[in-house]
Amino acid sequence: MSESLRPTYLEVNLSQLRKNLEAIRARVAPARVMPILKANAYGHGIDGVAKYIAAFADYLGVATLEEGIHLRQIGVDKPILVMGGTLPEQIPWFLRYDLTLTASSADLLRAAGQYAFPSGQKIRAHLKVDTGMERVGVRDTDVIPFLELAASCKSVEVEGIYSHFANADSLDLSHARLQLERFQEVLRFYEWRSLPPPPLRHLSNSGGILQLPDANFDLVRPGIMFYGIYPASDLPRTVDVKPAIIWRSRVAYSKVTPPGRPVSYGSTWQAERPTRIVTVPCGYADGYFRRMSGKARVLIHGKSYPQVGRICMDQFMVDAGEEEIALGDDIVLLGEGITVHDFAEWMGTSPYEVLTSISARVPRVFVE
Ligand SMILES: *Cc1c(COP(=O)(O)O)cnc(C)c1O
């Protein structure tokens, strides 16, 4: 176990991440699983997570080229798919670091062919079809010339073809089903041309894994569920996963504050009777959003207390009432009953943004 000098840190339980991966695998088998490690492994800390989980994963997914290169530099040797948009001039880096390109347009496919040709190497690519997200990828209605080009491109090894759901985390699955049908229609190209389809066909993110088993194909791409969090709190929990993080801190100051002495910037809150005000050494620069002021709660000695006054950049205050609380006592900000969905509600955002907002200043402590 690594230790943190700072009393505010994120404890990341690696064994729980592995259990989540295995639970997803059991649900989708024989399809394979590509845990998504983008955005600092959804805030969990990419180095610790990647080094541990690579041995158990079939494939890893990241958003940016830089994230892929970083994984290679720390010694990860599993296949890595870069899912985000790529510019043609970035292509040589895919060869250099053995990364899998998302070929999301005919131009990118041609550029990949040109870069690979002089060296005689092949660029490994997954073709990206847009079935209803209008982000990156060739629209299903325009896909045939793109697939023809891919099939004839000698210097590109087309290992996969995929698309991405816009609404698989909704209880209303009509749009997701439409996307699934469009993707199936796209794959008919290979039958019609009597060509073998690329070996890795994939579509599902967390919402799809939970709700649309027909969309498993050869591989699934769980992000938030790999981290044990359901993409929306009202979805059927068809896979049993659990969160792997506890955001911990310790009391940095404790004093009894009387009425008439407002707490924090703007003096927006004051006590009605003498009460114990505890200072937590964590603030919005750590991803403990200022927007949660007056809404958030923390656990001290296992009991829940309200955050009061404005959350500052590096500190915030808690009203602990009559409780005897001393300097150095343990505090839980997230976990042990306080959920990422609670944070999302306090913040007015999604669980995804909660996780990816826990800033780099918060040390990650990995436990097994
Ligand atoms: C982020 C992302 C995922 C993972 O999504 P979750 O909803 O977190 O499971 C999968 N595929 C693509 C293309 C993504 O960008």
Side-chain angles (χ1 to χ4, degrees):
M1 168 169 162
S2 42
E3 300 219 335
S4 165
L5 180 60
R6 192 175 170 202
T8 299
Y9 61 93
L10 196 68
E11 186 181 291
V12 183
N13 183 335
L14 295 171
S15 328
Q16 185 59 51
L17 291 178
R18 184 180 174 193
K19 284 184 200 154
N20 293 344
L21 184 67
E22 297 309 334
I24 294 166
R25 200 194 298 283
R27 160 90 176 162
V28 303
R32 286 182 277 174
V33 186
M34 173 194 285
I36 305 301
L37 303 183
K38 64 190 177 188
N40 199 22
Y42 284 52
H44 287 56
I46 193 165
D47 290 21
V49 172
K51 283 181 191 163
Y52 174 83
I53 214 68
F56 310 110
D58 301 308
Y59 221 114
L60 301 171
V62 294
T64 70
L65 172 61
E66 288 79 354
E67 290 170 332
I69 292 173
H70 180 76
L71 288 181
R72 289 288 180 246
Q73 285 172 339
I74 64 170
V76 171
D77 61 3
K78 281 289 161 90
I80 299 171
L81 175 66
V82 176
M83 301 183 299
T86 294
L87 294 172
E89 60 265 34
Q90 292 178 310
I91 286 174
W93 298 91
F94 284 79
L95 280 172
R96 170 140 20 135
Y97 286 96
D98 190 25
L99 301 169
T100 306
L101 173 75
T102 290
S104 51
S105 68
D107 284 345
L108 204 57
L109 210 48
R110 280 188 210 100
Q114 276 162 12
Y115 279 109
F117 182 66
S119 63
Q121 285 173 284
K122 280 199 173 199
I123 291 193
R124 206 180 322 104
H126 289 203
L127 308 175
K128 183 73 188 282
V129 184
D130 183 352
T131 56
M133 178 81 180
E134 292 298 320
R135 194 167 66 177
V136 299
V138 177
R139 212 174 279 127
D140 53 291
T141 49
D142 311 327
V143 85
I144 295 199
F146 176 59
L147 299 188
E148 293 283 5
L149 177 66
S152 68
C153 211
K154 295 278 172 292
S155 44
V156 177
E157 177 204 343
V158 179
E159 181 194 55
I161 179 165
Y162 76 107
S163 189
H164 187 53
F165 279 129
N167 295 293
D169 58 351
S170 162
L171 282 175
D172 175 359
L173 288 170
S174 48
H175 187 248
R177 290 219 168 86
L178 179 64
Q179 285 195 268
L180 170 58
E181 277 165 30
R182 286 173 175 166
F183 190 59
Q184 284 163 333
E185 188 62 40
V186 165
L187 293 175
R188 276 189 205 112
F189 166 86
Y190 295 96
E191 275 168 51
W192 165 66
R193 288 280 274 100
S194 305
L195 290 170
L200 296 177
R201 296 161 294 179
H202 48 113
L203 177 56
S204 263
N205 54 2
S206 295
I209 294 165
L210 282 174
Q211 304 205 87
L212 287 161
D214 290 347
N216 289 344
F217 296 97
D218 305 305
L219 181 77
V220 296
R221 306 186 307 268
I224 202 153
M225 250 185 30
F226 164 59
Y227 301 97
I229 291 141
Y230 295 92
S233 47
D234 57 353
L235 296 187
R237 303 198 166 183
T238 55
V239 188
D240 182 26
V241 292
K242 292 190 179 63
I245 47 173
I246 302 179
W247 194 350
R248 297 187 183 279
S249 190
R250 291 174 67 197
V251 172
Y253 211 95
S254 178
K255 62 169 170 276
V256 174
T257 294
R261 304 281 302 206
V263 171
S264 194
Y265 292 120
S267 300
T268 56
W269 182 91
Q270 62 172 299
E272 281 162 18
R273 62 187 72 84
T275 188
R276 180 161 299 278
I277 295 294
V278 158
T279 301
V280 185
C282 174
Y284 60 75
D286 299 302
Y288 203 89
F289 277 40
R290 189 171 177 277
R291 260 178 292 153
M292 308 196 298
S293 296
K295 297 183 188 144
R297 301 187 73 89
V298 304
L299 300 174
I300 310 176
H301 304 165
K303 280 200 249 167
S304 166
Y305 296 100
Q307 184 281 325
V308 292
R310 272 195 199 145
I311 295 167
C312 313
M313 189 186 292
D314 317 299
Q315 314 185 63
F316 67 82
M317 276 65 84
V318 168
D319 178 4
E322 320 237 295
E323 189 83 11
E324 277 308 313
I325 289 173
L327 187 69
D329 282 1
D330 291 326
I331 309 179
V332 172
L333 310 185
L334 174 65
E336 301 193 337
I338 299 180
T339 67
V340 173
H341 287 278
D342 290 336
F343 261 63
E345 207 175 298
W346 299 333
M347 268 195 204
T349 185
S350 72
Y352 294 83
E353 198 179 5
V354 171
L355 291 174
T356 58
S357 297
I358 302 173
S359 78
R361 193 171 77 171
V362 179
R364 272 63 174 174
V365 174
F366 297 96
V367 299
E368 283 187 33

